[in-house]
Amino acid sequence: MEADEWSPIPVLLTVDLVILTLREGRLCVLLVERGEDPHQGMLALPGGFLNHAGEEILDAAHRELSEETALAAGWVHLEQLAVYGAAGRDPRGRVVSVAHLAIAPGLPEPVAGTDAMGAAWIPAEGVLSGEVEIAFDHHRIVMDGIERARTKLEFSALATAFCGEVFTIAELQQVYEAVWGTQLDTRNFYRKVHAVKGFIIPAGSGSGRRATGGRPARLYRSGPTTVLFPPLIRPVPSTTEEDTREEVG
């Protein structure tokens, strides 16, 4: 008896982008308002299907990034985040998404793509809390993207991707506070940053200075070090500490 003929399952491939930036000191994620079904009118991550069978996944991510932010690849940090392919995640069929994390400083007001009715920077805390509802499984993707950024801030120089070409220590601290969602001690932060050799380097006298509280603030730029040692460990939230003390007591 001959075995039944096997045929591959049709699978559609998309790229989705978790694009993060700081706006007025708050961590924000770019969301678009879907202009068509499924989930027409709901907010979702920017992204889309491959343009053609020969398009590379990374090229598709760069294309979507350019369409949504008008930024060239060299001005943004872009890395693959994870693959999402649970059955039923998309009513159009078996759709697998290769999600990417993108980070850039001071991104402008977004312009919606051809398949979206609008686009906006949404404070990350609203998405993480569930207050802002988003389509598909994009809430999970946003959570994973922000957690990736939070973790990499501890062990890598990713924080400088949120800053401009030159920045102050105060601006770098603002990145950590916005992404981690916690306040940091200024003196302790200054000491820890300078303890990591090559993390940041003086920008030089030709870069100018910025005034902070009437006093000149030294400008820095990203240094050659990409792995932080010693790392800048994320503080434990005070609520967690209180809960732990209550459990121990």
Side-chain angles (χ1 to χ4, degrees):
M1 184 175 181
E2 295 183 0
D4 293 337
E5 184 178 352
W6 178 86
S7 58
I9 299 172
V11 175
L12 299 172
L13 188 64
T14 68
V15 294
D16 288 308
L17 298 175
V18 181
I19 306 175
L20 302 178
T21 195
L22 261 60
R23 295 179 67 83
E24 299 181 352
R26 304 174 73 183
L27 180 66
C28 294
V29 59
L30 181 62
L31 297 179
V32 300
E33 183 180 357
R34 290 186 55 79
E36 56 187 34
D37 285 327
H39 305 304
Q40 183 177 6
M42 288 190 65
L43 295 176
L45 290 172
F49 294 98
L50 300 184
N51 261 352
H52 51 81
E55 186 177 34
E56 298 292 343
I57 294 175
L58 184 58
D59 291 340
H62 280 300
R63 173 178 52 78
E64 291 288 346
L65 181 65
S66 177
E67 291 176 359
E68 299 295 344
T69 66
L71 286 179
W75 289 94
V76 64
H77 171 88
L78 181 67
E79 64 177 71
Q80 185 172 314
L81 175 61
V83 176
Y84 300 85
R89 64 180 298 272
D90 193 312
R92 291 169 292 189
R94 192 62 185 269
V95 179
V96 174
S97 173
V98 182
H100 290 72
L101 174 64
I103 295 171
L107 292 178
E109 289 297 327
V111 178
T114 56
D115 58 348
M117 294 188 294
W121 292 107
I122 305 298
E125 64 264 26
V127 179
L128 294 177
S129 67
E131 179 182 351
V132 177
E133 186 177 358
I134 52 179
F136 305 107
D137 55 355
H138 290 185
H139 180 266
R140 177 191 171 190
I141 299 176
V142 171
M143 290 182 62
D144 290 349
I146 292 176
E147 183 56 33
R148 168 77 66 86
R150 286 174 170 173
T151 301
K152 293 194 72 170
L153 255 61
E154 298 185 66
F155 303 100
S156 79
L158 181 66
T160 59
F162 285 96
C163 299
E165 183 178 356
V166 295
F167 49 86
T168 66
I169 294 288
E171 289 169 339
L172 186 64
Q173 179 176 334
Q174 187 179 64
V175 170
Y176 278 88
E177 291 179 336
V179 176
W180 283 349
T182 186
Q183 296 293 311
L184 301 175
D185 179 79
T186 299
R187 292 184 179 181
N188 193 34
F189 180 79
Y190 183 92
R191 177 181 58 81
K192 288 183 176 181
V193 166
H194 282 285
V196 183
K197 185 178 180 181
F199 177 21
I200 60 174
I201 58 177
S205 58
S207 300
R209 292 176 178 270
R210 301 177 185 179
T212 302
R215 300 181 60 186
R218 185 179 297 275
L219 293 175
Y220 295 86
R221 64 177 74 249
S222 179
T225 296
T226 57
V227 178
L228 304 187
F229 185 82
L232 276 68
I233 301 301
R234 189 187 339 175
V236 177
S238 58
T239 53
T240 301
E241 293 176 341
E242 293 171 358
D243 292 342
T244 301
R245 286 196 296 269
E246 292 175 357
E247 291 176 2
V248 173

